[in-house]
Amino acid sequence: MPAPKERKWDELKGWKELAEISPGAIVPGVPTSPEYLTGDWRVERPIWDEDKCTHCLLCWVFCPEDAIMLNISEDGKVVKMIGIDYDYCKGCGICVRACPPKIHALEMAPEEV
Amino acid sequence: MAKRKTTRMALTGNEAMAFAMKQINPDVVAAYPITPATQIVELFSKYVADGEVDTEFVPVESEHSAMSACVGASAAGARVMTGTASQGLALMHEILYIASALRLPITMCVVNRTLSAPINIHCDHSDTMGSRDAGWIQIYTENVQEAYASTIVGVRTAEKANLPVMVTTDGFVLSHGMESLDVFDDEDVREFLGQRKPLYNVLDVDNPITVGPLDLQDYFFEHKRGQIEAMFEAKKHIYDAHREFAEFFGVELPVFMEPYRLDDAEYAIVVLGSSAGTGKEVVDDLRDEKGMKVGLLRLRIFRPFPYEELQQVLGKVKYLAVMDRADSLNTMGGPVATEIARALYHFSERPIIHSFVYGLGGRDVPPENFYEVIEKMQWIAAGNTPDRMVTYVGVRE
Ligand code: SF4
Ligand code: SF4
């Protein structure tokens, strides 16, 4: 499992500092969603079988977290799936359902503890 | 402190508050009508229609929406005002907490009216007392002149503290009672208030922010603690706003409270709002005709609660009657009594306190209510212990 990304707010701040940088509980700066690693939620993970994959990209269309990683050729004509970003894959399994049954290039496996 | 030009007018409380709003010329007013506060927004919408203000007026479909629109506009840096009463305030309840936690200085004119059931449109303080923990500064006024001035100083207070403010009048007693009062010039009011300097602006595209995100176990407490500290700091801002008001207009307002003949008083009454006038008459009679050492304290600002100031003026009183125009249904009486007891318990020098609940649902508040209260305190002073912590005055047994 790759090391999780470092988060800007990992070191918990006290209320006095927050009152300065986050009055009214606002979150300063955008985008904030990359700071939130939804991969923390996962109890099962999709496993991708590169050999079976036809790069139809149905999984990419349906993934609610944009966790299907793509490689786009320089001329923009060839787009290939290259894996799953486990920092953000929340393990919902939608990609597994989206993958055509005859291809079956994705499968859920229990998360290792 | 040079006095600014004033003009004498005859206005009801609602007219005076709407007139103050016209002079303030807020950027946004979002409101929904409700008795007895309807006239405030009705008259204000006429100012909008007549082009006397530049306000964006948002006639919404409920008070919940009114306060929600106020929150959005205020988060975008606008100076925002609204008005409501009773059930309308109750319907806003959810959003009141959001306005204060987001540190939005919305100023709201509230006309105190009781809460259903049974349905009743008349005055007591149940509505704003029900919002007492919502994080709003609360100013209770005694007469139309003070309601007018407090609306103006309320905006300054809100914007200094970055907290929302309710300015209240007693329903019908003040809202529909006509008094003569002195009003300032529009230009002076606008010059006094100047431009709002917001803590943040959700529409500032150069400094993008997220407002109102989910905040869980790891950060909620710290954010709430910051909001609580803002209420501690609000005391200073309240004093500053009132001092600036006095310096600019040459008119002094009582700040947290108005002590009346309290020096050397053995007996004292605490009361909020318009009933204080009647109470002062009774105090004069008891002092001047019967030689009793009686005084009165009108509490003007209930949030934040001025516990130190109260101890200073009430610490030497022997018997303290706290009159609430609301009951907490806690079998101990009204919220003001409960809080004063808590506040004074902190100090070693403190009076014996008894809670009185009066005037619910607009029941008339004659001088007899105050005589009865003082008689009960004399009975306690004679060594008697009441069965209950609260006595109800002006109700048929
Ligand atoms: S399991 Fe869900 S979140 Fe993860 S890659 Fe598949 S669709 Fe995306
Ligand atoms: S849906 Fe299946 S076959 Fe299509 S790109 Fe995704 S993994 Fe490959």
Side-chain angles (χ1 to χ4, degrees), chain A residues 48-49 52-60 68 81 95 98-100 103-106:
Chain A
W48 177 53
D49 187 336
K52 289 187 187 165
C53 179
T54 62
H55 304 282
C56 69
L57 304 189
L58 276 173
C59 55
W60 175 79
I68 304 294
M81 175 182 176
C95 55
C99 188
I103 310 294
H104 200 69
L106 285 164

Side-chain angles (χ1 to χ4, degrees), chain B residues 147 185 212 267 335 342 349 393:
Chain B
D185 281 357
Y267 293 86
R342 165 68 185 101
E349 198 172 43
V393 287

Side-chain angles (χ1 to χ4, degrees), chain B residues 36-90:
Chain B
T38 301
Q39 287 168 326
I40 298 175
V41 283
E42 185 185 327
L43 290 168
F44 188 78
S45 69
K46 283 185 185 160
Y47 292 128
V48 175
D50 293 345
E52 293 199 54
V53 288
D54 311 305
T55 308
E56 178 80 34
F57 185 75
V58 194
V60 287
E61 75 283 9
S62 77
E63 287 84 357
H64 191 277
S65 305
M67 188 44 64
S68 300
C70 289
V71 163
S74 188
R79 176 172 286 154
V80 181
M81 297 187 76
T82 186
T84 195
S86 184
Q87 309 299 126
L89 184 64

Side-chain angles (χ1 to χ4, degrees), chain A residues 9-15 18-19 22-30 32 36, chain B residues 101-103 199-200 208-213 215-216 218-219 222-223 225-226 229:
Chain A
W9 291 53
D10 254 356
E11 195 190 318
L12 291 172
K13 298 180 194 311
W15 72 264
L18 279 183
S22 170
I26 61 160
V27 181
V30 285
T32 53
Y36 199 106
Chain B
L102 296 183
R103 306 286 310 276
L199 268 182
Y200 58 82
I209 53 167
T210 307
V211 176
D215 200 13
L216 297 176
D218 52 352
Y219 269 108
E222 280 69 28
H223 278 127
R225 178 68 185 83
E229 194 64 17

